[in-house]
Amino acid sequence: MSTDMAVHFDLLKNFNLMMEAKPAVRDWEDRGMLYQMMVHLADIANPSRPFPLARGWAERVIQEFCTQGDMEGELGLPVSPFCNRANMNMPKAQINFIQIFLVPTLAAYEKAAPCFVSMSQKQLAHTISEWKRLESEGFLM
């Protein structure tokens, strides 16, 4: 499933391989990989929306992660990475997510949809600067 982050790196690798083999997406006979990438980007591209929207979605996702960590702790289980409320730094987590997952995915997709990626990257630059500002002000969550 394209929204499962467990498949992110394989999906990105396979998309890049297809782009190398046939750079013109219009020549792809099977567009399943293109559609998978579109769904994946729809799932992970919230940081490329205007910052108030990006921040709202980030807060919801971080809250979900922390709730999971709380439940794991209550059950005596090890708390999953990025789910520990005690050491959560939302600006840093968002910047890392953007750099590790979103930027490379947008770079790969740029060959297929340059106008979409250009628009997304402009907004993403603003979002990154806002997260850096919040981090410098000591905002954690």
Side-chain angles (χ1 to χ4, degrees), residues 70-91:
D70 295 344
M71 293 171 70
E72 290 169 342
E74 289 169 8
L75 294 170
L77 300 170
V79 176
S80 297
F82 312 110
C83 296
N84 191 336
R85 189 180 304 276
N87 62 14
M88 177 57 66
N89 180 328
M90 186 165 52

Side-chain angles (χ1 to χ4, degrees), residues 11-21 104 108-109 111:
L11 180 62
L12 188 57
K13 180 184 89 177
N14 291 333
F15 183 80
N16 281 326
L17 288 172
M18 286 197 66
M19 289 300 299
E20 288 173 18
Y109 200 67
K111 299 165 195 127

Side-chain angles (χ1 to χ4, degrees), residues 4 16 21 44 47-48 67 84 93 105-106 109-110 123 135 138 141:
D4 184 348
N16 281 326
I44 69 170
S48 62
T67 298
N84 191 336
T105 305
L106 284 171
Y109 200 67
E110 185 171 22
Q123 189 58 53
E135 185 177 29
M141 194 167 132

Side-chain angles (χ1 to χ4, degrees), residues 15 18-19 21-35 38 108-114:
F15 183 80
M18 286 197 66
M19 289 300 299
K22 280 195 175 176
V25 175
R26 68 182 169 277
D27 295 337
W28 292 12
E29 291 177 24
D30 179 3
R31 295 192 178 177
M33 178 63 60
L34 178 65
Y35 300 143
M38 290 170 70
Y109 200 67
E110 185 171 22
K111 299 165 195 127

Side-chain angles (χ1 to χ4, degrees), residues 48-62:
S48 62
R49 295 177 181 217
F51 186 69
L53 291 173
R55 182 176 177 172
W57 281 108
E59 289 170 351
R60 289 178 192 94
V61 168
I62 295 295

Side-chain angles (χ1 to χ4, degrees), residues 116-133:
F116 167 78
V117 172
S118 175
M119 177 187 66
S120 297
Q121 288 172 330
K122 288 175 188 166
Q123 189 58 53
L124 193 56
H126 176 70
T127 296
I128 291 168
S129 69
E130 285 296 308
W131 284 123
K132 286 181 178 180
R133 179 186 60 78

